[in-house]
């Protein structure tokens, strides 16, 4: 199945509002004609944070629109995102003001912070873009789904649920091969504008066809059950 066909199948089976996003971590800065994300770098904060987006999860949202490359520096504004995406060690971000703010208000404890999943390698950059435009198998395919769509995914395959921060589902999927889901987090929702009715799912690129095949039976059965339930409802 081609990447375009997989993207279409996921969109049609689930009724996705947003197209699947392919995410690939690069060990070297890519130089093959894909455009770089062109938004200007932000002015550095007093603790030295700067980036081309408020956080790496913002790139997910733009990845629905077109394919682009980023480098590590582009992700530098959000310390948590730098950590989960493999761009920094915990020791390099623990003194940053944004991390201090999360700890100060109790959004996360130091113990929970130590358990956050991080990418096992240090990439030089990340490519984001519609799955339909992918030229090779991505590390992760990101889906934005409703509770009903999540219900069908959860029935089709085994899903590993992940706590905050939301972005740790990427390394969980990329490194361990699990299909990782998140209910989102307040930090990411504020930065991305993701709807209150949306969840996210990270699917290893190598398992997309498996998910599509599993969804066919689940979605067909759900449709038949819904037809029965609607007919039965007419008695009331």
């Amino acid at each position: 199945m081609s990447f375009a066909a997989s993207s279409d199948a996921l969109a049609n089976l689930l009724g996705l509002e947003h197209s699947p996003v392919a995410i690939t971590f690069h060990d070297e800065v890519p130089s093959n004609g894909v455009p770089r994300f062109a938004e200007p770098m932000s002015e550095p904060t007093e603790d030295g944070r700067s980036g081309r987006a408020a956080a790496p999860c913002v790139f997910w949202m733009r990845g629905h629109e077109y394919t682009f490359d980023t480098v590590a520096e582009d992700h530098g504004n959000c310390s948590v995102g730098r950590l989960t995406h493999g761009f920094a060690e915990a020791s390099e971000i623990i003194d940053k003001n944004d991390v201090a703010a999360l700890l100060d208000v109790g959004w996360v404890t130091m113990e929970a912070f130590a358990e956050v999943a991080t990418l096992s390698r240090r990439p030089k950059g990340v490519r984001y873009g519609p799955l339909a435009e992918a030229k090779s198998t991505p590390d992760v395919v990101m889906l934005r789904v409703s509770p009903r769509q999540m219900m069908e995914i959860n029935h089709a395959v085994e899903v590993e649920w992940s706590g905050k921060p939301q972005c740790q589902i990427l390394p969980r999927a990329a490194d361990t091969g699990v299909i990782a889901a998140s209910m989102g987090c307040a930090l990411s929702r504020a930065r991305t504008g993701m709807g209150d009715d949306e969840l996210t799912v990270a699917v290893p690129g190598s398992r997309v066809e498996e998910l599509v095949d599993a969804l066919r039976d689940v979605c067909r059965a759900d449709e038949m059950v819904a037809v029965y339930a609607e007919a039965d409802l007419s008695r009331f």
Side-chain angles (χ1 to χ4, degrees):
M1 185 180 294
S2 70
F3 299 117
S6 294
S7 180
D8 287 344
L10 287 170
N12 293 331
L13 286 166
L14 293 170
L16 296 176
E17 179 180 356
H18 305 284
S19 59
V21 175
I23 301 175
T24 302
F25 297 95
H26 288 292
D27 295 329
E28 300 295 335
V29 176
S31 57
N32 56 358
V34 172
R36 282 278 304 278
F37 190 75
E39 295 294 326
M41 290 288 285
S42 64
E43 289 295 323
T45 61
E46 63 180 20
D47 58 352
R49 292 178 294 111
S50 181
R52 296 190 190 277
C57 52
V58 175
F59 292 123
W60 307 349
M61 307 297 132
R62 300 298 295 274
H64 296 296
E65 303 166 8
Y66 69 103
T67 300
F68 58 87
D69 280 332
T70 62
V71 295
E73 292 76 15
D74 298 337
H75 300 72
N77 188 65
C78 176
S79 298
V80 173
R82 288 183 64 210
L83 178 70
T84 59
H85 286 60
F87 293 128
E89 300 289 343
S91 60
E92 298 175 87
I93 57 105
I94 199 64
D95 62 340
K96 300 300 183 183
N97 292 344
D98 56 343
V99 173
L102 302 179
L103 292 169
D104 287 348
V105 300
W107 189 79
V108 66
T109 64
M110 187 65 77
E111 292 74 19
F113 192 75
E115 298 299 319
V116 170
T118 63
L119 197 70
S120 61
R121 62 188 192 272
R122 280 287 190 108
K124 295 292 181 62
V126 188
R127 178 169 295 169
Y128 302 88
L131 175 61
E133 296 180 4
K135 303 301 183 187
S136 60
T137 303
D139 289 307
V140 177
V141 173
M142 173 67 64
L143 305 177
R144 291 166 63 185
V145 300
S146 68
R148 191 270 301 167
Q149 294 159 350
M150 187 67 245
M151 172 190 73
E152 293 179 325
I153 293 171
N154 195 58
H155 289 165
V157 293
E158 184 175 352
V159 173
E160 179 182 284
W161 285 90
S162 181
K164 56 189 174 184
Q166 176 176 223
C167 54
Q168 68 176 316
I169 61 175
L170 263 66
R172 290 192 187 282
D175 282 343
T176 68
V178 301
I179 294 176
S182 172
M183 288 179 283
C185 70
L187 187 63
S188 181
R189 288 186 186 278
R191 284 175 161 163
T192 63
M194 198 174 86
D196 291 345
D197 57 346
E198 290 184 278
L199 301 87
T200 51
V201 184
V203 184
S206 60
R207 296 188 63 187
V208 170
E209 287 191 35
E210 173 194 342
L211 176 59
V212 169
D213 289 341
L215 280 171
R216 295 189 195 282
D217 290 337
V218 167
C219 293
R220 185 183 304 113
D222 278 352
E223 183 177 348
M224 295 173 67
V225 166
V227 170
Y228 163 77
E230 289 174 2
D232 191 56
L233 189 62
S234 66
R235 299 186 300 108
F236 295 89

